[in-house]
Amino acid sequence: MNKQPKMTTEPTATSAVLPIKAIATPLSVNAVWLSDVHLGSKDCKAEYLLTFLQQLETECLYLVGDIFDIWALKRRIYWPESHNKVLQQLLKMARDGVKVVYIPGNHDEVLKSYSGFHLWDLSIFCEHIHTGVNGHKLLMLHGDQFDSEVCIGRTYAILGDHLYDLLLFLNRGLHKIRHKLGYPYWSLASYIKLRINKAQQAITDYQAAVTRYAKTKNVDAVFCGHIHQPALNIDKQILYGNDGDWVENCTFIAESFEGDIQLYKWHELGCAERIKSYSFETNKRQAQVKHVA
C-alpha cells in the first residue's frame, strides 16, 4: 500500500507540498472556493473580501455556503454598504462571464430550495463537481449535512452558534485594543478551538465524515466549509480541503492553471499568502517512482 504524501509547509525538493509564499495581486487562477462569509452579521470581513474579489482573476468562483447569514438577519437587520458592495461585485462577476456556483449552507439554507436555478453565469446547487485542469474530480458541499455524524443536532448547532457569537463579540473589543496598540487581528475563537480536546475531536470527526461521503462519489478531492477551520490534507486517499471563512480567518482555496490546489490567507495589507499547496501531478509521479522501485 502506498504511503500517503505528507502535507507540510517545509517541503523537500520532491514534495507535493509547496512552500508558504506571499502572492502579489491581482491573483490569477482557474478556480476559487470560499465560504462562510456571513453577510448580514457584524463579524463579516466584507471590506477584505471586496478588495480580494476586485483583484481576483478567475474562470470559476465557487461559493460554498453561508455566504449570507440569514440566522443573524432574522435576529437583527444589519446590512451596511460594504456588504451590499460584496453582493454587487459577485453579481458583476457572474454578468462578466465568471462561472459562479452557489452551494447553500445552514445559515442560508432557504436557498437550498432553489437548487438548479440559473441567472447569467450564476447557478445554485446543493453540491457540485468541478473538473480540474488535469481532469481530476473535485466535489464541493457546505458540510452541515454531517452535523449528526459528529453528534451535533440542530438544537446544539444553534446553541453553538450563539456561543460562537459571544466569542466573536468579545473578540471585537479585544481587536480594538490590539489595533490601537499596533497589533494585527487575532482570533479568540480559533485559539479556544485549538485548545479544547472535544472541539479538536469534532473537527477530526467532521473531516472523516466528509471524506467518507466523498469516497462514495468516486472523486479525487472534496472541498467544504461550515466549521471555520481552514485545512488542506490527504484523508483516505482523498484530498480534503476546507476553505475556512471570512469572519476570523479570511481564507480560500484556489486551483492554479497548472492544476495545483492551494490554500490561501488574505491579509489586512491586501495580499494573499499561500499556506499550503497540493500537486496531483507531483503526487502521481512520486507514486509511479515508488511503484517502479
Side-chain angles (χ1 to χ4, degrees):
M1 182 176 179
N2 291 332
K3 188 177 179 180
Q4 294 291 350
K6 187 178 180 181
M7 300 291 288
T8 69
T9 55
E10 301 276 341
T12 63
T14 59
S15 173
V17 183
L18 306 179
I20 292 176
K21 182 181 179 182
I23 306 298
T25 52
L27 180 66
S28 183
V29 292
N30 184 58
V32 164
W33 291 260
L34 60 87
S35 73
D36 297 271
V37 176
H38 292 271
L39 292 170
S41 75
K42 286 187 175 182
D43 296 291
C44 167
K45 301 294 190 296
E47 294 86 355
Y48 295 170
L49 179 57
L50 180 62
T51 302
F52 165 62
L53 292 174
Q54 289 174 336
Q55 298 179 12
L56 175 65
E57 297 175 356
T58 186
E59 300 292 324
C60 307
L61 177 60
Y62 296 113
L63 306 174
V64 195
D66 286 1
I67 305 303
F68 300 100
D69 194 331
I70 295 174
W71 290 8
L73 287 169
K74 283 182 177 179
R75 293 194 295 267
R76 178 189 175 187
I77 298 298
Y78 179 78
W79 194 259
E81 182 59 23
S82 59
H83 292 213
N84 192 55
K85 286 182 178 179
V86 169
L87 175 58
Q88 294 303 318
Q89 178 64 24
L90 292 172
L91 293 175
K92 179 181 182 298
M93 294 173 75
R95 288 195 303 269
D96 291 347
V98 176
K99 177 184 176 182
V100 179
V101 174
Y102 195 122
I103 311 289
N106 53 317
H107 284 255
D108 50 11
E109 62 186 350
V110 65
L111 296 176
K112 290 181 178 180
S113 60
Y114 292 92
S115 180
F117 172 83
H118 301 279
L119 176 65
W120 301 310
D121 274 342
L122 169 67
S123 303
I124 298 177
F125 299 106
C126 289
E127 59 182 56
H128 185 68
I129 292 179
H130 167 81
T131 301
V133 172
N134 298 315
H136 297 95
K137 302 295 183 182
L138 292 73
L139 172 68
M140 68 200 77
L141 42 80
H142 182 64
D144 55 302
Q145 61 265 55
F146 303 108
D147 282 350
S148 61
E149 295 188 45
V150 292
C151 301
I152 301 175
R154 181 173 177 83
T155 301
Y156 284 105
I158 294 174
L159 176 61
D161 184 67
H162 287 305
L163 292 174
Y164 183 64
D165 284 346
L166 174 61
L167 289 176
L168 293 176
F169 170 76
L170 296 173
N171 215 133
R172 285 200 296 271
L174 180 61
H175 177 59
K176 289 179 181 178
I177 296 172
R178 288 175 60 87
H179 183 70
K180 288 180 180 179
L181 295 174
Y183 292 105
Y185 179 80
W186 177 79
S187 173
L188 174 63
S190 291
Y191 178 84
I192 291 175
K193 275 192 293 185
L194 292 172
R195 283 158 181 80
I196 297 178
N197 290 335
K198 285 189 176 180
Q200 283 296 292
Q201 187 58 52
I203 292 169
T204 300
D205 291 346
Y206 174 81
Q207 177 176 316
V210 172
T211 52
R212 274 198 306 271
Y213 180 75
K215 289 280 281 186
T216 68
K217 296 293 185 176
N218 194 31
V219 294
D220 302 290
V222 57
F223 297 153
C224 58
H226 189 46
I227 60 173
H228 296 205
Q229 191 68 30
L232 188 65
N233 50 61
I234 293 290
D235 190 326
K236 300 179 180 68
Q237 298 181 321
I238 297 285
L239 179 63
Y240 167 85
N242 192 303
D243 54 34
D245 63 275
W246 287 80
V247 172
E248 304 172 68
N249 297 293
C250 296
T251 50
F252 62 94
I253 291 174
E255 179 192 32
S256 72
F257 287 111
E258 293 71 39
D260 294 339
I261 304 301
Q262 303 162 334
L263 176 63
Y264 286 95
K265 181 177 180 66
W266 186 258
H267 287 284
E268 296 175 80
L269 298 177
C271 64
E273 175 190 5
R274 190 174 66 208
I275 302 171
K276 277 187 175 182
S277 183
Y278 180 83
S279 170
F280 286 109
E281 294 306 303
T282 300
N283 182 42
K284 181 180 178 181
R285 289 195 296 271
Q286 288 178 348
Q288 289 173 340
V289 170
K290 289 178 183 178
H291 181 70
V292 171

